[in-house]
Structure formats: structure tokens, C-alpha cells
Amino acid sequence: MNIRHPECHLRRALASALATDLEGVDDTPDVEGAAPRRPREDECGVVLFGQFWPAALLAVQAQVRLVEADTVVVSGPAGDACVYAAGRLLYRVAHPNRRFFLDLSAQCMAQPAARVAYEGRDSADLEAVDYELEGALARLCGAARHLDSGEALSAARVLREYVLRFEALAAA
């Protein structure tokens, strides 16, 4: 079953995020008692993709266990993010970590019960290493698609050697 209505679900998710779901923006941190304002659309990041979700989670009567639904992720100016499926808020992450952004890149967000894995920032050093490593490995993987099998095996051996080096550093 497919319940895709991208434009409708995108509008609904963004409106909900801006009105209530995202954290407010404190433009005047030095002014005591000043209420935070609601985020504006131009301050948010929005990603839309199709993902399979449990039909029961979306309250969809279907003969199948999973249904494809529009997934919208809205990140706000305060650093939080909200995940919606079929226009419904599934969860909010106050401080998304690298796992959240890696899953967002893969267009495969965690089920609501597993969202705790997304909470909590990583150290700046760890984030820098992860992003650099992920970028380099993604470029290497793209280039390896054009290698013959012997060259690909050679590249895999080099990667295994580096894994051993990193494990030795971690054990030291």
C-alpha cells in the first residue's frame, strides 16, 4: 500500500514544526523574561523522502505490515529536529547526533522506539573524524565501482590494514 502525497505531507509537517513542534528561537538571550519566538520557514532545513513504516504506527488499515509513506525531517534553528511520516509527528530529537544525520543521509530513519540512539551530541573531535572518514570512504567506494575485481580486492586489503591500525590505537 502506498499513501504518498508529498506536497500535502510536506506542507503539513512544516506547518506543525513551525507552529509547535520545533523549539523556539531565543533572539534576545540577554533580556530576562523574553519569550522565544517561533522559527521561520527560511531558518529550517527540510528533507522529504519515501520510507517504509509499520502500518499500525501510521494507523493505516492495510493487508501488509509495512507501508511506504512520505517521511519529512525538519531541522530547526535551535538545533533540534522533527521526524514526520504521512504528515504525522513521529518524534522530536532535541540534540541530534551523527547517527541521526547518517540515517537522514541514508533516508532511513529509526522507528520511534529507537529514537534515543539519535539524542546527544558527540564531541567535536569525534564528529570531525566521522564526517571526514565518511566522506573519504564514500568517495573511495564511488571510485571503486570502476575497478576490476583484483584492484577492488587490493583496496579492500588496504582498508583492512587500516582497521587493524585503528583497533591497535583503541587498545593502547
Side-chain angles (χ1 to χ4, degrees):
M1 175 177 213
N2 184 332
I3 54 170
R4 307 281 309 266
H5 303 284
E7 183 184 356
C8 174
H9 292 147
L10 178 67
R11 274 189 279 117
R12 188 179 306 155
L14 187 56
S16 182
L18 296 174
T20 58
D21 300 337
L22 288 174
E23 189 173 319
V25 180
D26 189 4
D27 285 337
T28 54
D30 298 335
V31 178
E32 201 169 312
R37 66 170 175 78
R38 296 305 310 150
R40 295 186 315 261
E41 186 175 331
D42 65 327
E43 296 175 312
C44 296
V46 180
V47 179
L48 166 71
F49 53 91
Q51 179 175 334
F52 285 90
W53 295 97
L57 178 70
L58 303 178
V60 173
Q61 299 297 322
Q63 299 297 324
V64 293
R65 196 173 63 82
L66 297 174
V67 293
E68 185 178 13
D70 301 316
T71 301
V72 178
V73 179
V74 182
S75 56
D80 57 336
C82 295
V83 177
Y84 302 84
R88 304 171 132 215
L89 176 65
L90 296 181
Y91 52 88
R92 178 181 169 274
V93 181
H95 303 286
N97 58 25
R98 71 188 189 291
R99 171 59 33 214
F100 175 87
F101 290 107
L102 290 172
D103 284 359
L104 180 59
S105 274
Q107 297 184 350
C108 187
M109 303 308 294
Q111 299 293 320
R115 74 179 182 265
V116 294
Y118 291 153
E119 195 64 58
R121 300 277 166 139
D122 301 302
S123 72
D125 290 340
L126 181 60
E127 281 186 359
V129 167
D130 275 355
Y131 291 136
E132 187 65 32
L133 191 58
E134 286 284 335
L137 288 172
R139 288 188 297 278
L140 180 62
C141 190
R145 288 190 175 117
H146 304 291
L147 299 176
D148 65 36
S149 62
E151 292 169 325
L153 281 173
S154 178
R157 271 189 229 100
V158 170
L159 287 171
R160 272 194 294 280
E161 288 173 18
Y162 274 97
V163 166
L164 294 174
R165 289 182 191 180
F166 275 92
E167 286 175 345
L169 287 171

